[in-house]
Amino acid sequence: MFACLFIFNVSNSRAQEQQAPQEDIASIALAVVMPQSIEGLSDGNVARLGTKMAAILTNNGVASVDEDQTFIIYPKFEIVDVKETAATLKKITVANCNLSLFIQQTSTKVIFASFTKTVIGSGFSRTEAISNAVSQISAGDAGITKFIARGKEKIVLYYQQNCAQFIKKAD
């Protein structure tokens, strides 16, 4: 009820605005929820991906480590293709992977935003190429930054537009 009242006040004071106010967007904390394992990734690479996700969130506002957070961001890492090339005397392995990110409300399972980025890694083995692909994910990536901002804007606008329904349901 408190959260809805806060958003209701924001909605009343800024009902004419089309975009969510920056202070409302900045106050939304996202928690990283990592899967226990990801097919094709070592436990070390899953841990590195989790660390990168936390860095991405702290670079883009407020991060939470509490999985009971209202809003979460979770990654899916998919190894699309792994090929060996004979461009040099030693074979090089190239891993083509997709990193997909989702911002979701935990209680309703509503997904507010999704984002997919292709990352490519190379090395002298499959394991090294995949590890290199994980390393290509940058905490300062402009596309990820826009995705997180857009996701937070959608959350605020969703609550602004539906606050009357939430108050009615709470009564």
Side-chain angles (χ1 to χ4, degrees):
M1 181 75 173
F2 173 74
C4 191
L5 289 178
F6 168 74
I7 293 172
F8 180 72
N9 287 336
V10 171
S11 177
N12 281 342
S13 65
R14 299 189 173 108
Q16 300 302 316
E17 292 183 20
Q18 293 292 4
Q19 290 186 337
Q22 285 301 95
E23 64 270 11
D24 295 338
I25 292 168
S27 68
I28 296 173
L30 297 173
V32 177
V33 175
M34 290 296 298
Q36 293 294 327
S37 64
I38 299 174
E39 186 178 338
L41 285 188
S42 68
D43 291 344
N45 279 331
V46 172
R48 281 183 41 218
L49 182 58
T51 301
K52 285 182 175 281
M53 292 301 303
I56 287 168
L57 288 181
T58 56
N59 282 354
N60 290 286
V62 182
S64 172
V65 294
D66 183 4
E67 290 185 14
D68 291 333
Q69 185 70 25
T70 303
F71 301 103
I72 61 170
I73 186 168
Y74 63 93
K76 288 189 177 184
F77 192 87
E78 176 187 18
I79 301 165
V80 177
D81 190 23
V82 178
K83 293 183 180 177
E84 287 187 354
T85 63
T88 63
L89 295 176
K90 194 169 184 180
K91 288 185 179 179
I92 295 175
T93 303
V94 177
N96 184 9
C97 307
N98 285 336
L99 172 67
S100 297
L101 303 174
F102 302 88
I103 295 176
Q104 182 180 45
Q105 183 176 18
T106 55
S107 62
T108 63
K109 305 296 185 209
V110 171
I111 295 176
F112 288 94
S114 64
F115 173 83
T116 300
K117 176 182 180 72
T118 299
V119 289
I120 298 171
S122 62
F124 294 118
S125 68
R126 177 184 175 91
T127 303
E128 188 178 347
I130 293 169
S131 182
N132 189 311
V134 172
S135 296
Q136 300 304 313
I137 300 165
S138 169
D141 185 285
I144 294 174
T145 297
K146 287 179 186 176
F147 153 73
I148 291 172
R150 188 181 72 240
K152 288 181 175 185
E153 285 174 3
K154 285 184 175 183
I155 290 168
V156 171
L157 292 174
Y158 173 79
Y159 278 94
Q160 285 177 339
Q161 293 168 354
N162 295 292
C163 195
Q165 292 174 0
F166 298 133
I167 291 172
K168 188 176 181 179
K169 189 183 271 189
D171 287 341

